Amino acid sequence: MFETAELGRTLASEEYKKIVPELRQELLEVQRQLLNNGSFQVILIFAGVDGAGKSEIVNLLNSWMDPRWLVTHAYGPPSDEESERPEYWRYWRDLPPKGQIGLLLSTWYSRPILDYVYGEHNLANFDKRLDRITGMEKGLADNGALILKFWLHLDKASQQQRFQSLEQDPLNAWRVTEEDWKHWELYDGFMGAAEHCIRKTSTGEAPWHIVEGGDLKYSAVTVARTLCDSIRLQLERIKHEAELAAVAKSRLQPQPQDSETATDQDRGREVVRPSVPTVLSNLDNDLRLSKEEYQQQLSTLQGEINQLQHQAHESNISTLLVFEGADAAGKGGAIRRVISALDAKHYKVVPIAAPTDEERAQPYLWRFWRHLPRAGRLTIFDRSWYGRVLVERVEGFATEQEWRRAYREINDFEEQLAEHDILVIKYWLHITPEEQLDRFDARAATPYKQWKLTEEDWRNREKWADYELAVNDMVERTSTSLAPWTLVEANDKRFARVKVLQTLRDRLQQKLSKTIHSDP
Amino acid sequence: MFETAELGRTLASEEYKKIVPELRQELLEVQRQLLNNGSFQVILIFAGVDGAGKSEIVNLLNSWMDPRWLVTHAYGPPSDEESERPEYWRYWRDLPPKGQIGLLLSTWYSRPILDYVYGEHNLANFDKRLDRITGMEKGLADNGALILKFWLHLDKASQQQRFQSLEQDPLNAWRVTEEDWKHWELYDGFMGAAEHCIRKTSTGEAPWHIVEGGDLKYSAVTVARTLCDSIRLQLERIKHEAELAAVAKSRLQPQPQDSETATDQDRGREVVRPSVPTVLSNLDNDLRLSKEEYQQQLSTLQGEINQLQHQAHESNISTLLVFEGADAAGKGGAIRRVISALDAKHYKVVPIAAPTDEERAQPYLWRFWRHLPRAGRLTIFDRSWYGRVLVERVEGFATEQEWRRAYREINDFEEQLAEHDILVIKYWLHITPEEQLDRFDARAATPYKQWKLTEEDWRNREKWADYELAVNDMVERTSTSLAPWTLVEANDKRFARVKVLQTLRDRLQQKLSKTIHSDP
């Protein structure tokens, strides 16, 4: 695999001096085009043999390009805030926004390769982590990111020479550590792991470029050229796709105008249910709790949850609660009953509405990653990442491709949460269209609740069947053993709130008993 | 001071049950108005005697209000990411955005009081920290924030009773710690410190409310009422001020239209200098470096800086570089020569342009606080917080009140940086209007540089005198011994770059020698 990177390629100084000014101008130009286009970010990953010049290339690129739209990250041991979240949280946190370029060193490839070479992980575990990587990279690429991965190679003898020459330079001797020499002794093992890693993770979305690392002038120019060409290609692809889309659109029949443009008083009152049974069809909408039962269970449950959350906090167990449901299904009321049981110091409620502009400049899941709680805390999402496969699907805010692939993205995300031992509880609060109508009417009749009822709520009712089918698909595809959905019969608010609390209590109990048993 | 909070005030259960539903509705209503208004955030600070019910009040407020626009923060020991920044960084990070409410527990009052009571700080240090607090609170209030501070009081006997009754309840016994009893024994010392603290920090912008803490019903309702009334009052004040401003505006003479509405080819070519001497008048604009001198000094300086920054990184010394200067003064070129000397892993370049919407929802300095580097790193600001007293002042984007008070806000900010041992280096790159004109003409004549020249650049030239006076005031008011300005004669790019690098080298050297000498 690395033979072609052991050819001793170099770039003569004169040629280098001729090339670099033009190359720099080209880099600045593509940077400007990227920034103006603003629809994707570029992620460069540098990995490879120590001493092959990764840092030096990154430094050169930094001095060649406009540093304002460029960011470099190198990853050492995680900070405590990072360790309290899933492994990839810090990479998500550092993603460059669309229009900009990120240069990443010692990133998600480092630990898996090291752990395998040191024998701390077996091949199966190594492969599992490489799968996680391809999933991450595919997710980023699907969201538009351009990913370029550079493997800087040196043969064993050249690596030795490189270390020795650094050690002889008093200004640079500190760059060579004992660990470097230890890795050098493990050279063959590293190469085996590297080859396996590159084979497994070189994908169409995120291919590896193996670059010979002996001569900085050669390698830096090679990387810079690849960067320029790839950005240009991506910009052309985007332009081409936009043209195709415009042609396709112009050939479509003009859409008939909505026939109900006149405001219809009765609009949204009648609702069409889906013609096929859904997971919601089997729910017993008549489940009810009397006021007395409710009061008694509510206070018992809240007391239990308070104690359990105290234990969870002590055990550093974090929890995510996801609330989804039709308008007026009672999400807010249920959330208030949950937080009444909790210490306000331990939770945060995150309402999901329109993204901010910083969020729009990132892949879809970024705005949820950023809210993951520190150890022992809860985040309560009032609506969530499931918006992608619910409202965005039904209303056409996401393309079919986007919402279809979201199932996998979401399952990946929740798997990472589960692996980090975060408890994920997802509630769908189900009400019947008749119950919703009653609640809308009640809102309309109560002066201080009228603001909660909008034209959009009525419009959404017209798409009841679409929403119900979307819920069905969502549950079918994302109710996993790691993060199951809890369907809550919510026609009766008291019943729904108690079921929400019971589920939280049971899941906390279960989690705590597992954690305590698995503790050494 | 606390006598009026030892009257044994309670709220009977019946009355409480009658009051709370109305109060909740009122709270929800003011929350909605606050959100709709969106021009300020509300910060509630809770402090006081342990066991007086601070957490319980916060929990009740959380269950009464809409949790989506409310956030609670309690501060324990700082995380490592927090310790690497100035003390207040974490409070800035957690500020609620405008339109929302933050409830803060164990916040900036905790450590100063504890350190004083435990004898770790003397009165002078205590007072210094209280001054810092009033500065912080004034800054927030000046930026629109509504700050309410509640001191929850209990007399010594009641505190003892409270701890004892918690200890007897098996579900709550964990809430009482050894430290709580230790503090109880120091009760009188705490009260003395508290009284001093309250006297010193009760200001017009951020007054203390002393609340009797024996009865949760009484204290929670008192806090909630104060919150409602204060938000309403603030909203009325804002409305009133807007009306006054509208009246004042309508009485003003109509502004004469700019007489040069026709595009004048020569517009901006002639420049009026200020009629009084400024700090820029004394600069020697003829300072020059030959190409050879430049090349030689550049590479020596970059080598020295590289080594120094390596040492600074090892010593956890962080650095902020601030670049200001007229258009085309050469900020970008100077920044590139600085970063060529640095390891890309250690720095970040932050270009300051229009704020994002998340930044607009915060006080002015928030968007600079968020970029403070971790230990041992550099942040390079390409334009900075000085925009407030330069472009925003001259162009009228900031009111006179805003830019006038910015000098103090900025000095406070930089003092906090200096206290955290962050090296702050501020460069003003000065060119003459004639030199700027030459550079503009050169840009206009170079195809790939034309985009760098905008209509705005020409407009700014017409206000040269205003800008120069603004620079003069800025240097006069913000060049402090902790963070002095370096004025750089920049008519010759080579001279300017070398001076920038020399300054960086000298300041790093100075800082390192101090740090090494002060190390134990």
Side-chain angles (χ1 to χ4, degrees), chain A residues 4-21:
Chain A
T4 58
E6 296 178 353
L7 300 174
R9 271 175 295 204
T10 57
L11 200 60
S13 280
E14 311 80 66
E15 208 183 339
Y16 179 77
K17 277 185 191 153
K18 217 185 70 193
I19 290 175
V20 167

PDB file of all heavy atoms in Angstrom, chain A residues 4-21:
ATOM      1  N   THR A   4       4.170   3.252  -3.164  1.00  0.00           N
ATOM      2  CA  THR A   4       4.221   4.437  -4.023  1.00  0.00           C
ATOM      3  C   THR A   4       4.585   5.680  -3.237  1.00  0.00           C
ATOM      4  O   THR A   4       4.800   6.742  -3.810  1.00  0.00           O
ATOM      5  CB  THR A   4       2.858   4.683  -4.692  1.00  0.00           C
ATOM      6  OG1 THR A   4       1.888   4.821  -3.655  1.00  0.00           O
ATOM      7  CG2 THR A   4       2.487   3.533  -5.602  1.00  0.00           C
ATOM      8  N   ALA A   5       4.627   5.549  -1.923  1.00  0.00           N
ATOM      9  CA  ALA A   5       5.026   6.693  -1.109  1.00  0.00           C
ATOM     10  C   ALA A   5       6.440   6.519  -0.582  1.00  0.00           C
ATOM     11  O   ALA A   5       6.836   7.135   0.396  1.00  0.00           O
ATOM     12  CB  ALA A   5       4.046   6.889   0.054  1.00  0.00           C
ATOM     13  N   GLU A   6       7.178   5.613  -1.242  1.00  0.00           N
ATOM     14  CA  GLU A   6       8.579   5.437  -0.843  1.00  0.00           C
ATOM     15  C   GLU A   6       9.481   5.613  -2.060  1.00  0.00           C
ATOM     16  O   GLU A   6      10.483   4.935  -2.221  1.00  0.00           O
ATOM     17  CB  GLU A   6       8.782   4.060  -0.201  1.00  0.00           C
ATOM     18  CG  GLU A   6       7.992   3.917   1.098  1.00  0.00           C
ATOM     19  CD  GLU A   6       8.128   2.547   1.754  1.00  0.00           C
ATOM     20  OE1 GLU A   6       8.733   1.637   1.135  1.00  0.00           O
ATOM     21  OE2 GLU A   6       7.630   2.389   2.878  1.00  0.00           O
ATOM     22  N   LEU A   7       9.078   6.512  -2.937  1.00  0.00           N
ATOM     23  CA  LEU A   7       9.819   6.690  -4.182  1.00  0.00           C
ATOM     24  C   LEU A   7      10.859   7.794  -4.074  1.00  0.00           C
ATOM     25  O   LEU A   7      11.563   8.098  -5.016  1.00  0.00           O
ATOM     26  CB  LEU A   7       8.845   7.007  -5.324  1.00  0.00           C
ATOM     27  CG  LEU A   7       7.794   5.921  -5.588  1.00  0.00           C
ATOM     28  CD1 LEU A   7       6.796   6.396  -6.638  1.00  0.00           C
ATOM     29  CD2 LEU A   7       8.455   4.621  -6.045  1.00  0.00           C
ATOM     30  N   GLY A   8      10.909   8.417  -2.912  1.00  0.00           N
ATOM     31  CA  GLY A   8      11.907   9.470  -2.729  1.00  0.00           C
ATOM     32  C   GLY A   8      11.588  10.728  -3.503  1.00  0.00           C
ATOM     33  O   GLY A   8      12.468  11.444  -3.961  1.00  0.00           O
ATOM     34  N   ARG A   9      10.301  11.022  -3.638  1.00  0.00           N
ATOM     35  CA  ARG A   9       9.938  12.209  -4.406  1.00  0.00           C
ATOM     36  C   ARG A   9      10.273  13.489  -3.642  1.00  0.00           C
ATOM     37  O   ARG A   9      10.004  13.596  -2.437  1.00  0.00           O
ATOM     38  CB  ARG A   9       8.447  12.186  -4.734  1.00  0.00           C
ATOM     39  CG  ARG A   9       8.180  11.460  -6.035  1.00  0.00           C
ATOM     40  CD  ARG A   9       6.712  11.338  -6.286  1.00  0.00           C
ATOM     41  NE  ARG A   9       6.100  10.486  -5.272  1.00  0.00           N
ATOM     42  CZ  ARG A   9       4.963   9.838  -5.472  1.00  0.00           C
ATOM     43  NH1 ARG A   9       4.323   9.945  -6.618  1.00  0.00           N
ATOM     44  NH2 ARG A   9       4.454   9.089  -4.524  1.00  0.00           N
ATOM     45  N   THR A  10      10.824  14.427  -4.343  1.00  0.00           N
ATOM     46  CA  THR A  10      11.143  15.724  -3.736  1.00  0.00           C
ATOM     47  C   THR A  10      10.782  16.810  -4.739  1.00  0.00           C
ATOM     48  O   THR A  10      10.451  16.530  -5.893  1.00  0.00           O
ATOM     49  CB  THR A  10      12.651  15.855  -3.424  1.00  0.00           C
ATOM     50  OG1 THR A  10      13.356  15.643  -4.652  1.00  0.00           O
ATOM     51  CG2 THR A  10      13.100  14.843  -2.397  1.00  0.00           C
ATOM     52  N   LEU A  11      10.845  18.016  -4.253  1.00  0.00           N
ATOM     53  CA  LEU A  11      10.598  19.151  -5.127  1.00  0.00           C
ATOM     54  C   LEU A  11      11.806  20.060  -5.000  1.00  0.00           C
ATOM     55  O   LEU A  11      12.167  20.471  -3.894  1.00  0.00           O
ATOM     56  CB  LEU A  11       9.327  19.867  -4.659  1.00  0.00           C
ATOM     57  CG  LEU A  11       8.607  20.775  -5.643  1.00  0.00           C
ATOM     58  CD1 LEU A  11       8.154  19.990  -6.873  1.00  0.00           C
ATOM     59  CD2 LEU A  11       7.399  21.403  -4.964  1.00  0.00           C
ATOM     60  N   ALA A  12      12.428  20.336  -6.130  1.00  0.00           N
ATOM     61  CA  ALA A  12      13.629  21.169  -6.084  1.00  0.00           C
ATOM     62  C   ALA A  12      13.277  22.574  -5.618  1.00  0.00           C
ATOM     63  O   ALA A  12      12.183  23.078  -5.890  1.00  0.00           O
ATOM     64  CB  ALA A  12      14.262  21.227  -7.475  1.00  0.00           C
ATOM     65  N   SER A  13      14.212  23.199  -4.919  1.00  0.00           N
ATOM     66  CA  SER A  13      13.958  24.526  -4.358  1.00  0.00           C
ATOM     67  C   SER A  13      13.523  25.533  -5.405  1.00  0.00           C
ATOM     68  O   SER A  13      12.633  26.346  -5.174  1.00  0.00           O
ATOM     69  CB  SER A  13      15.212  25.052  -3.658  1.00  0.00           C
ATOM     70  OG  SER A  13      15.315  24.483  -2.384  1.00  0.00           O
ATOM     71  N   GLU A  14      14.162  25.481  -6.578  1.00  0.00           N
ATOM     72  CA  GLU A  14      13.812  26.486  -7.593  1.00  0.00           C
ATOM     73  C   GLU A  14      12.362  26.300  -8.047  1.00  0.00           C
ATOM     74  O   GLU A  14      11.596  27.258  -8.179  1.00  0.00           O
ATOM     75  CB  GLU A  14      14.719  26.388  -8.838  1.00  0.00           C
ATOM     76  CG  GLU A  14      16.205  26.333  -8.545  1.00  0.00           C
ATOM     77  CD  GLU A  14      16.636  24.941  -8.128  1.00  0.00           C
ATOM     78  OE1 GLU A  14      16.563  24.028  -8.962  1.00  0.00           O
ATOM     79  OE2 GLU A  14      17.000  24.754  -6.942  1.00  0.00           O
ATOM     80  N   GLU A  15      12.011  25.033  -8.258  1.00  0.00           N
ATOM     81  CA  GLU A  15      10.661  24.767  -8.714  1.00  0.00           C
ATOM     82  C   GLU A  15       9.648  25.198  -7.648  1.00  0.00           C
ATOM     83  O   GLU A  15       8.616  25.807  -7.937  1.00  0.00           O
ATOM     84  CB  GLU A  15      10.523  23.276  -9.021  1.00  0.00           C
ATOM     85  CG  GLU A  15       9.475  23.002 -10.094  1.00  0.00           C
ATOM     86  CD  GLU A  15       9.292  21.521 -10.323  1.00  0.00           C
ATOM     87  OE1 GLU A  15      10.203  20.734  -9.985  1.00  0.00           O
ATOM     88  OE2 GLU A  15       8.217  21.149 -10.825  1.00  0.00           O
ATOM     89  N   TYR A  16       9.983  24.842  -6.406  1.00  0.00           N
ATOM     90  CA  TYR A  16       9.124  25.188  -5.270  1.00  0.00           C
ATOM     91  C   TYR A  16       8.898  26.701  -5.223  1.00  0.00           C
ATOM     92  O   TYR A  16       7.764  27.163  -5.088  1.00  0.00           O
ATOM     93  CB  TYR A  16       9.803  24.695  -3.996  1.00  0.00           C
ATOM     94  CG  TYR A  16       9.066  24.979  -2.711  1.00  0.00           C
ATOM     95  CD1 TYR A  16       7.966  24.211  -2.341  1.00  0.00           C
ATOM     96  CD2 TYR A  16       9.499  25.984  -1.844  1.00  0.00           C
ATOM     97  CE1 TYR A  16       7.313  24.451  -1.126  1.00  0.00           C
ATOM     98  CE2 TYR A  16       8.848  26.230  -0.643  1.00  0.00           C
ATOM     99  CZ  TYR A  16       7.761  25.458  -0.291  1.00  0.00           C
ATOM    100  OH  TYR A  16       7.126  25.700   0.900  1.00  0.00           O
ATOM    101  N   LYS A  17       9.973  27.449  -5.379  1.00  0.00           N
ATOM    102  CA  LYS A  17       9.856  28.900  -5.307  1.00  0.00           C
ATOM    103  C   LYS A  17       9.008  29.452  -6.439  1.00  0.00           C
ATOM    104  O   LYS A  17       8.388  30.500  -6.316  1.00  0.00           O
ATOM    105  CB  LYS A  17      11.252  29.549  -5.358  1.00  0.00           C
ATOM    106  CG  LYS A  17      11.909  29.563  -3.994  1.00  0.00           C
ATOM    107  CD  LYS A  17      13.221  30.307  -4.016  1.00  0.00           C
ATOM    108  CE  LYS A  17      13.989  30.073  -2.718  1.00  0.00           C
ATOM    109  NZ  LYS A  17      15.440  30.197  -2.914  1.00  0.00           N
ATOM    110  N   LYS A  18       9.016  28.726  -7.563  1.00  0.00           N
ATOM    111  CA  LYS A  18       8.202  29.171  -8.688  1.00  0.00           C
ATOM    112  C   LYS A  18       6.728  28.823  -8.451  1.00  0.00           C
ATOM    113  O   LYS A  18       5.826  29.610  -8.751  1.00  0.00           O
ATOM    114  CB  LYS A  18       8.702  28.482  -9.973  1.00  0.00           C
ATOM    115  CG  LYS A  18       8.661  29.364 -11.207  1.00  0.00           C
ATOM    116  CD  LYS A  18       9.056  28.594 -12.454  1.00  0.00           C
ATOM    117  CE  LYS A  18       7.994  27.571 -12.849  1.00  0.00           C
ATOM    118  NZ  LYS A  18       8.431  26.603 -13.848  1.00  0.00           N
ATOM    119  N   ILE A  19       6.517  27.625  -7.913  1.00  0.00           N
ATOM    120  CA  ILE A  19       5.140  27.125  -7.749  1.00  0.00           C
ATOM    121  C   ILE A  19       4.376  27.864  -6.652  1.00  0.00           C
ATOM    122  O   ILE A  19       3.216  28.226  -6.806  1.00  0.00           O
ATOM    123  CB  ILE A  19       5.166  25.606  -7.423  1.00  0.00           C
ATOM    124  CG1 ILE A  19       5.607  24.809  -8.646  1.00  0.00           C
ATOM    125  CG2 ILE A  19       3.805  25.136  -6.947  1.00  0.00           C
ATOM    126  CD1 ILE A  19       5.773  23.324  -8.365  1.00  0.00           C
ATOM    127  N   VAL A  20       5.085  28.090  -5.527  1.00  0.00           N
ATOM    128  CA  VAL A  20       4.353  28.529  -4.334  1.00  0.00           C
ATOM    129  C   VAL A  20       3.566  29.830  -4.500  1.00  0.00           C
ATOM    130  O   VAL A  20       2.402  29.897  -4.085  1.00  0.00           O
ATOM    131  CB  VAL A  20       5.287  28.551  -3.104  1.00  0.00           C
ATOM    132  CG1 VAL A  20       4.653  29.297  -1.933  1.00  0.00           C
ATOM    133  CG2 VAL A  20       5.583  27.113  -2.674  1.00  0.00           C
ATOM    134  N   PRO A  21       4.141  30.873  -5.115  1.00  0.00           N
ATOM    135  CA  PRO A  21       3.339  32.107  -5.224  1.00  0.00           C
ATOM    136  C   PRO A  21       2.024  31.885  -5.981  1.00  0.00           C
ATOM    137  O   PRO A  21       0.972  32.375  -5.569  1.00  0.00           O
ATOM    138  CB  PRO A  21       4.269  33.063  -5.974  1.00  0.00           C
ATOM    139  CG  PRO A  21       5.639  32.542  -5.720  1.00  0.00           C
ATOM    140  CD  PRO A  21       5.508  31.060  -5.629  1.00  0.00           C
TER     141      PRO A  21
END
